[in-house]
Amino acid sequence: MIRYSSLLLAAALGSTALPAWAEAPRVVTDIPVVGALVQQIMGELGQPEILLQAGGDPHDYQLRPSQARSVQDAGLLIWVGPELTPWLERAATSLSPQAEMLTLLHLPATHRRDYAGDEHEHEHEHEHEHEDHDHGHAGEQGHEGHDHSGTDPHAWLDPANGRAWLAAIAETLSRRDPENAATYAANAARAAEEIAALDAELQATLSPAQGKRFVVFHDAYGYFTEHYRLEPAIAVSLGDASTPSAARLQAIRAEIAENGAICAFPEANHDPKLIAAVIEGSEIRQGTALDPEGTGATPGAGLYAETLRGMASALADCLGTD
């Protein structure tokens, strides 16, 4: 249970070490779902800038010059981490000295799973501080070598992580802007209650989908399937969304036939022809495209819930059909 009252104490203790901001700090975020969580905490006090635009791939994105300047000028960068967005790591090292970095995937409260195998780990390594980020992680599962190992960075798809991240975001903003600490804490508590209600809703929505195999574009859904007790998705592409080889496509077709998959789901910002080619000649139904980063959802505080709700509905609509 997250103790939101501790945020006020943390803000009070931290205010002696950091200068008070005249207004909410300038916040830059990596992907829309993180931007939505930040917006829930900031409310009317400010609006974060989101780097990944509609149509962008979080694993392989080119920052515009204006976006690179925004990162360098930010008071606070809140991102999942280099495991998801290796292209942002270089820009992140150029942050001004007074800036702060909150790497959500590395927080002690974050539940992390490994790409290797089906075993899931709850890691609580307290040596990771909020500002830490390991430059070596980017190569573990990024486009260099397409090594499908290391930490799965799609952790926001577990709503328990969403709630934990709300608390960390509120605490960080409170230390940077102690005059508004009470507002950040109240917003975090309210947003956590909303995610808890969403979680219960999605448990019911996804109940008909349990026990049924399905195909997805890339290996991004392990947190979601684990949390909602769904069968592991059969991923055509690896976790970095790299183009699969001919040998991998052949292996995926064999796995689909062996496991009796019912549905296949394209993914937003990726060519649906690959999914169509994999299931060609089979009786597998093609469902609605999934959008795990929320690039097609309505920007704002409600985007996180909209993204998870959209995924749950897409899965249930196809898999729940007899």
Side-chain angles (χ1 to χ4, degrees), residues 25 27-29 31-43 46-49 76-79 102 104 165-166 169-170 173 184 187 300-301:
V27 181
V28 174
T29 63
I31 59 176
V33 287
V34 172
L37 294 173
V38 174
Q39 188 63 72
Q40 287 180 286
I41 303 301
M42 297 188 77
Q47 183 174 354
E49 178 178 348
L76 175 61
L77 171 63
I78 301 178
W79 65 327
L102 179 62
L104 299 170
W165 291 359
L166 287 171
I169 293 166
L173 285 170
Y184 296 135
N187 289 347

Side-chain angles (χ1 to χ4, degrees), residues 118 209-215 231-235 250-263 282 284 319:
D118 293 329
Q210 292 177 351
K212 301 175 182 179
R213 298 304 302 270
F214 60 97
V215 182
E231 293 296 311
I234 301 171
Q250 183 177 357
I252 292 300
R253 291 190 184 98
E255 185 178 356
I256 290 172
E258 180 182 352
N259 288 280
I262 296 175
C263 295
S282 72
I284 296 177
L319 293 170

Side-chain angles (χ1 to χ4, degrees), residues 64-147:
R64 299 193 299 267
S66 60
Q67 292 179 310
R69 288 193 296 271
S70 293
V71 174
Q72 294 170 6
D73 296 339
L76 175 61
L77 171 63
I78 301 178
W79 65 327
V80 174
E83 295 88 345
L84 180 72
T85 54
W87 46 269
L88 181 53
E89 186 172 20
R90 179 175 298 178
T93 61
S94 302
L95 285 170
S96 57
Q98 72 272 17
E100 185 173 359
M101 188 187 307
L102 179 62
T103 307
L104 299 170
L105 190 64
H106 298 178
L107 293 174
T110 299
H111 160 51
R112 295 182 290 273
R113 66 182 296 275
D114 200 299
Y115 273 129
D118 293 329
E119 293 183 3
H120 309 290
E121 299 177 354
H122 290 264
E123 299 177 343
H124 298 281
E125 299 173 343
H126 292 277
E127 66 269 24
H128 291 300
E129 299 296 332
H130 289 178
E131 295 82 10
D132 286 349
H133 64 287
D134 184 354
H135 295 276
H137 286 187
E140 289 180 0
Q141 56 86 44
H143 284 262
E144 297 183 8
H146 306 304
D147 181 20

Side-chain angles (χ1 to χ4, degrees), residues 3-4 11 21 26 31 40 57 59 66 143 168 205 220 224 244 306:
R3 298 180 60 184
Y4 291 95
W21 292 69
R26 180 178 180 180
I31 59 176
Q40 287 180 286
D57 178 358
H59 301 285
S66 60
H143 284 262
T205 299
F224 196 81
E306 183 180 346

